[in-house]
Amino acid sequence: MLLTPEGGLAGVFVSALLAATVVPFSSEAVLFAYLRLHPEQAGAAIALATLGNTAGGMTSYAIGRLLPAKAQRKLEPRTLGWLRRYGAAATLLAWLPVAGDALCVAAGWLRIAWLPALAFMAAGRLARYLVVAAL
């Protein structure tokens, strides 16, 4: 099943979803390998990788939303100042390894508007996968 284009697309989605969590995983390598085998599926593969990775990022965002807002006054580190300053636009960098996971959680914790955060997260992740596909 995984050797078919459709089965491989499911693998691209799952790998991208897992990579957007704290699970150390390289969705870029999976996408790259899939596109080497099925270049005609580039559009679908990039879309599913973006969707899966964005869903994982929004899961981290939701976890951040579950943290008590009142804890912000006591625990907010100085480094989150730029996230407050740039708001949802800062989540454009959520594709970065390790830091991106923390950024998604922090965006939820700071109660940054979810719809703009979703849009910026998706845009950053799409750009990353387009670069991988171009390679």
Side-chain angles (χ1 to χ4, degrees):
M1 170 86 174
L2 284 176
L3 298 178
T4 67
E6 296 79 19
L9 285 172
V12 167
F13 176 82
V14 170
S15 72
L17 180 68
L18 289 175
T21 66
V22 294
V23 176
F25 200 78
S26 176
S27 61
E28 295 87 350
V30 173
L31 178 63
F32 183 80
Y34 180 82
L35 291 176
R36 296 275 299 183
L37 292 173
H38 304 287
E40 73 284 356
Q41 295 286 325
I46 292 167
L48 285 171
T50 302
L51 180 65
N53 208 246
T54 302
M58 288 306 290
T59 300
S60 296
Y61 174 94
I63 290 169
R65 288 288 295 215
L66 294 175
L67 297 173
K70 65 182 178 182
Q72 290 178 25
R73 284 180 246 124
K74 297 177 186 175
L75 302 174
E76 185 176 334
R78 236 177 167 183
T79 56
L80 292 181
W82 69 272
L83 182 54
R84 278 198 182 279
R85 181 177 179 188
Y86 295 106
T91 62
L92 188 67
L93 299 175
W95 62 269
L96 292 169
V98 182
D101 299 332
L103 181 61
C104 293
V105 172
W109 184 49
L110 293 175
R111 307 314 194 248
I112 289 176
W114 73 269
L115 191 56
L118 171 69
F120 280 107
M121 268 190 228
R125 293 162 194 266
L126 173 62
R128 175 187 64 190
Y129 288 127
L130 287 172
V131 168
V132 170
L135 297 174

